[in-house]
PDB file of all heavy atoms in Angstrom:
ATOM      1  N   ALA N 914     -18.710 -23.859   2.376  1.00  0.00           N
ATOM      2  CA  ALA N 914     -17.684 -24.217   1.389  1.00  0.00           C
ATOM      3  C   ALA N 914     -16.811 -25.356   1.898  1.00  0.00           C
ATOM      4  O   ALA N 914     -16.459 -25.416   3.083  1.00  0.00           O
ATOM      5  CB  ALA N 914     -16.828 -23.000   1.062  1.00  0.00           C
ATOM      6  N   ALA N 915     -16.427 -26.251   0.992  1.00  0.00           N
ATOM      7  CA  ALA N 915     -15.601 -27.403   1.370  1.00  0.00           C
ATOM      8  C   ALA N 915     -14.148 -27.002   1.591  1.00  0.00           C
ATOM      9  O   ALA N 915     -13.474 -27.528   2.483  1.00  0.00           O
ATOM     10  CB  ALA N 915     -15.692 -28.480   0.290  1.00  0.00           C
ATOM     11  N   PHE N 916     -13.642 -26.077   0.767  1.00  0.00           N
ATOM     12  CA  PHE N 916     -12.252 -25.625   0.884  1.00  0.00           C
ATOM     13  C   PHE N 916     -12.203 -24.524   1.939  1.00  0.00           C
ATOM     14  O   PHE N 916     -12.965 -23.552   1.884  1.00  0.00           O
ATOM     15  CB  PHE N 916     -11.759 -25.100  -0.464  1.00  0.00           C
ATOM     16  CG  PHE N 916     -10.267 -24.916  -0.541  1.00  0.00           C
ATOM     17  CD1 PHE N 916      -9.441 -25.973  -0.880  1.00  0.00           C
ATOM     18  CD2 PHE N 916      -9.685 -23.680  -0.285  1.00  0.00           C
ATOM     19  CE1 PHE N 916      -8.064 -25.813  -0.970  1.00  0.00           C
ATOM     20  CE2 PHE N 916      -8.315 -23.499  -0.367  1.00  0.00           C
ATOM     21  CZ  PHE N 916      -7.493 -24.570  -0.709  1.00  0.00           C
ATOM     22  N   LYS N 917     -11.289 -24.668   2.911  1.00  0.00           N
ATOM     23  CA  LYS N 917     -11.262 -23.769   4.063  1.00  0.00           C
ATOM     24  C   LYS N 917      -9.906 -23.073   4.175  1.00  0.00           C
ATOM     25  O   LYS N 917      -8.864 -23.727   4.171  1.00  0.00           O
ATOM     26  CB  LYS N 917     -11.528 -24.550   5.352  1.00  0.00           C
ATOM     27  CG  LYS N 917     -12.851 -25.294   5.374  1.00  0.00           C
ATOM     28  CD  LYS N 917     -12.974 -26.131   6.635  1.00  0.00           C
ATOM     29  CE  LYS N 917     -14.245 -26.951   6.647  1.00  0.00           C
ATOM     30  NZ  LYS N 917     -14.332 -27.787   7.885  1.00  0.00           N
ATOM     31  N   VAL N 918      -9.954 -21.754   4.303  1.00  0.00           N
ATOM     32  CA  VAL N 918      -8.752 -20.952   4.514  1.00  0.00           C
ATOM     33  C   VAL N 918      -8.883 -20.239   5.857  1.00  0.00           C
ATOM     34  O   VAL N 918      -9.924 -19.641   6.153  1.00  0.00           O
ATOM     35  CB  VAL N 918      -8.558 -19.921   3.383  1.00  0.00           C
ATOM     36  CG1 VAL N 918      -7.354 -19.022   3.675  1.00  0.00           C
ATOM     37  CG2 VAL N 918      -8.385 -20.627   2.042  1.00  0.00           C
ATOM     38  N   VAL N 919      -7.827 -20.303   6.642  1.00  0.00           N
ATOM     39  CA  VAL N 919      -7.785 -19.633   7.946  1.00  0.00           C
ATOM     40  C   VAL N 919      -6.893 -18.398   7.861  1.00  0.00           C
ATOM     41  O   VAL N 919      -5.820 -18.440   7.249  1.00  0.00           O
ATOM     42  CB  VAL N 919      -7.240 -20.592   9.035  1.00  0.00           C
ATOM     43  CG1 VAL N 919      -6.677 -19.820  10.232  1.00  0.00           C
ATOM     44  CG2 VAL N 919      -8.324 -21.550   9.499  1.00  0.00           C
ATOM     45  N   ILE N 920      -7.343 -17.289   8.447  1.00  0.00           N
ATOM     46  CA  ILE N 920      -6.437 -16.201   8.820  1.00  0.00           C
ATOM     47  C   ILE N 920      -6.525 -16.096  10.337  1.00  0.00           C
ATOM     48  O   ILE N 920      -7.612 -16.098  10.905  1.00  0.00           O
ATOM     49  CB  ILE N 920      -6.761 -14.866   8.114  1.00  0.00           C
ATOM     50  CG1 ILE N 920      -8.209 -14.426   8.343  1.00  0.00           C
ATOM     51  CG2 ILE N 920      -6.473 -14.978   6.629  1.00  0.00           C
ATOM     52  CD1 ILE N 920      -8.518 -13.033   7.773  1.00  0.00           C
ATOM     53  N   GLU N 921      -5.372 -16.024  11.003  1.00  0.00           N
ATOM     54  CA  GLU N 921      -5.378 -16.249  12.451  1.00  0.00           C
ATOM     55  C   GLU N 921      -4.455 -15.297  13.195  1.00  0.00           C
ATOM     56  O   GLU N 921      -3.411 -14.873  12.680  1.00  0.00           O
ATOM     57  CB  GLU N 921      -4.950 -17.700  12.728  1.00  0.00           C
ATOM     58  CG  GLU N 921      -5.168 -18.162  14.156  1.00  0.00           C
ATOM     59  CD  GLU N 921      -3.938 -18.110  15.052  1.00  0.00           C
ATOM     60  OE1 GLU N 921      -2.916 -17.498  14.644  1.00  0.00           O
ATOM     61  OE2 GLU N 921      -3.985 -18.661  16.167  1.00  0.00           O
ATOM     62  N   ALA N 922      -4.881 -14.969  14.409  1.00  0.00           N
ATOM     63  CA  ALA N 922      -4.058 -14.236  15.370  1.00  0.00           C
ATOM     64  C   ALA N 922      -4.336 -14.844  16.743  1.00  0.00           C
ATOM     65  O   ALA N 922      -5.211 -15.698  16.887  1.00  0.00           O
ATOM     66  CB  ALA N 922      -4.414 -12.755  15.358  1.00  0.00           C
ATOM     67  N   HIS N 923      -3.600 -14.403  17.758  1.00  0.00           N
ATOM     68  CA  HIS N 923      -3.926 -14.881  19.105  1.00  0.00           C
ATOM     69  C   HIS N 923      -4.401 -13.735  19.979  1.00  0.00           C
ATOM     70  O   HIS N 923      -3.981 -12.587  19.828  1.00  0.00           O
ATOM     71  CB  HIS N 923      -2.768 -15.656  19.740  1.00  0.00           C
ATOM     72  CG  HIS N 923      -1.589 -14.847  20.183  1.00  0.00           C
ATOM     73  ND1 HIS N 923      -1.543 -14.198  21.398  1.00  0.00           N
ATOM     74  CD2 HIS N 923      -0.389 -14.613  19.598  1.00  0.00           C
ATOM     75  CE1 HIS N 923      -0.370 -13.602  21.541  1.00  0.00           C
ATOM     76  NE2 HIS N 923       0.351 -13.830  20.456  1.00  0.00           N
ATOM     77  N   ALA N 924      -5.287 -14.071  20.904  1.00  0.00           N
ATOM     78  CA  ALA N 924      -6.036 -13.071  21.662  1.00  0.00           C
ATOM     79  C   ALA N 924      -5.462 -12.773  23.035  1.00  0.00           C
ATOM     80  O   ALA N 924      -5.842 -11.786  23.664  1.00  0.00           O
ATOM     81  CB  ALA N 924      -7.484 -13.551  21.832  1.00  0.00           C
ATOM     82  N   ASP N 925      -4.558 -13.616  23.530  1.00  0.00           N
ATOM     83  CA  ASP N 925      -4.146 -13.516  24.932  1.00  0.00           C
ATOM     84  C   ASP N 925      -2.951 -12.596  25.123  1.00  0.00           C
ATOM     85  O   ASP N 925      -2.196 -12.321  24.194  1.00  0.00           O
ATOM     86  CB  ASP N 925      -3.828 -14.899  25.503  1.00  0.00           C
ATOM     87  CG  ASP N 925      -2.784 -15.665  24.690  1.00  0.00           C
ATOM     88  OD1 ASP N 925      -2.840 -15.620  23.450  1.00  0.00           O
ATOM     89  OD2 ASP N 925      -1.907 -16.308  25.300  1.00  0.00           O
ATOM     90  N   GLU N 926      -2.803 -12.128  26.351  1.00  0.00           N
ATOM     91  CA  GLU N 926      -1.662 -11.297  26.731  1.00  0.00           C
ATOM     92  C   GLU N 926      -0.964 -11.901  27.946  1.00  0.00           C
ATOM     93  O   GLU N 926      -1.571 -12.605  28.757  1.00  0.00           O
ATOM     94  CB  GLU N 926      -2.102  -9.868  27.053  1.00  0.00           C
ATOM     95  CG  GLU N 926      -2.979  -9.732  28.284  1.00  0.00           C
ATOM     96  CD  GLU N 926      -3.386  -8.297  28.574  1.00  0.00           C
ATOM     97  OE1 GLU N 926      -2.559  -7.551  29.134  1.00  0.00           O
ATOM     98  OE2 GLU N 926      -4.535  -7.934  28.247  1.00  0.00           O
ATOM     99  N   ILE N 927       0.323 -11.599  28.057  1.00  0.00           N
ATOM    100  CA  ILE N 927       1.097 -12.069  29.200  1.00  0.00           C
ATOM    101  C   ILE N 927       0.574 -11.420  30.480  1.00  0.00           C
ATOM    102  O   ILE N 927       0.020 -10.320  30.458  1.00  0.00           O
ATOM    103  CB  ILE N 927       2.597 -11.765  29.020  1.00  0.00           C
ATOM    104  CG1 ILE N 927       2.813 -10.259  28.800  1.00  0.00           C
ATOM    105  CG2 ILE N 927       3.171 -12.593  27.882  1.00  0.00           C
ATOM    106  CD1 ILE N 927       4.257  -9.835  28.810  1.00  0.00           C
ATOM    107  N   SER N 928       0.767 -12.102  31.600  1.00  0.00           N
ATOM    108  CA  SER N 928       0.256 -11.598  32.876  1.00  0.00           C
ATOM    109  C   SER N 928       0.971 -12.333  34.011  1.00  0.00           C
ATOM    110  O   SER N 928       2.021 -12.951  33.805  1.00  0.00           O
ATOM    111  CB  SER N 928      -1.267 -11.796  32.951  1.00  0.00           C
ATOM    112  OG  SER N 928      -1.613 -13.152  32.732  1.00  0.00           O
ATOM    113  N   TRP N 929       0.399 -12.258  35.194  1.00  0.00           N
ATOM    114  CA  TRP N 929       0.961 -12.903  36.381  1.00  0.00           C
ATOM    115  C   TRP N 929      -0.150 -13.597  37.154  1.00  0.00           C
ATOM    116  O   TRP N 929      -1.323 -13.226  37.033  1.00  0.00           O
ATOM    117  CB  TRP N 929       1.628 -11.871  37.305  1.00  0.00           C
ATOM    118  CG  TRP N 929       2.663 -11.015  36.658  1.00  0.00           C
ATOM    119  CD1 TRP N 929       2.467  -9.821  36.024  1.00  0.00           C
ATOM    120  CD2 TRP N 929       4.065 -11.290  36.570  1.00  0.00           C
ATOM    121  NE1 TRP N 929       3.658  -9.330  35.549  1.00  0.00           N
ATOM    122  CE2 TRP N 929       4.658 -10.210  35.871  1.00  0.00           C
ATOM    123  CE3 TRP N 929       4.884 -12.326  37.022  1.00  0.00           C
ATOM    124  CZ2 TRP N 929       6.020 -10.140  35.610  1.00  0.00           C
ATOM    125  CZ3 TRP N 929       6.241 -12.260  36.760  1.00  0.00           C
ATOM    126  CH2 TRP N 929       6.799 -11.179  36.063  1.00  0.00           C
ATOM    127  N   PHE N 930       0.217 -14.589  37.952  1.00  0.00           N
ATOM    128  CA  PHE N 930      -0.700 -15.198  38.907  1.00  0.00           C
ATOM    129  C   PHE N 930      -0.254 -14.869  40.331  1.00  0.00           C
ATOM    130  O   PHE N 930       0.950 -14.911  40.635  1.00  0.00           O
ATOM    131  CB  PHE N 930      -0.704 -16.728  38.783  1.00  0.00           C
ATOM    132  CG  PHE N 930      -1.549 -17.273  37.666  1.00  0.00           C
ATOM    133  CD1 PHE N 930      -0.977 -18.061  36.681  1.00  0.00           C
ATOM    134  CD2 PHE N 930      -2.913 -17.031  37.612  1.00  0.00           C
ATOM    135  CE1 PHE N 930      -1.744 -18.592  35.660  1.00  0.00           C
ATOM    136  CE2 PHE N 930      -3.692 -17.551  36.593  1.00  0.00           C
ATOM    137  CZ  PHE N 930      -3.106 -18.331  35.619  1.00  0.00           C
ATOM    138  N   VAL N 931      -1.209 -14.564  41.202  1.00  0.00           N
ATOM    139  CA  VAL N 931      -0.905 -14.500  42.633  1.00  0.00           C
ATOM    140  C   VAL N 931      -0.491 -15.900  43.080  1.00  0.00           C
ATOM    141  O   VAL N 931      -1.197 -16.882  42.830  1.00  0.00           O
ATOM    142  CB  VAL N 931      -2.127 -14.018  43.441  1.00  0.00           C
ATOM    143  CG1 VAL N 931      -1.873 -14.148  44.940  1.00  0.00           C
ATOM    144  CG2 VAL N 931      -2.475 -12.577  43.074  1.00  0.00           C
ATOM    145  N   ASN N 932       0.663 -15.986  43.747  1.00  0.00           N
ATOM    146  CA  ASN N 932       1.206 -17.290  44.136  1.00  0.00           C
ATOM    147  C   ASN N 932       1.340 -17.457  45.644  1.00  0.00           C
ATOM    148  O   ASN N 932       1.233 -18.567  46.164  1.00  0.00           O
ATOM    149  CB  ASN N 932       2.580 -17.478  43.485  1.00  0.00           C
ATOM    150  CG  ASN N 932       3.134 -18.872  43.664  1.00  0.00           C
ATOM    151  OD1 ASN N 932       2.431 -19.848  43.402  1.00  0.00           O
ATOM    152  ND2 ASN N 932       4.380 -18.978  44.116  1.00  0.00           N
TER     153      ASN N 932
END
Side-chain angles (χ1 to χ4, degrees):
F916 194 86
K917 302 175 184 179
V918 176
V919 158
I920 55 174
E921 191 262 12
H923 73 83
D925 55 319
E926 66 180 281
I927 57 172
S928 55
W929 306 89
F930 279 122
V931 172
N932 188 49

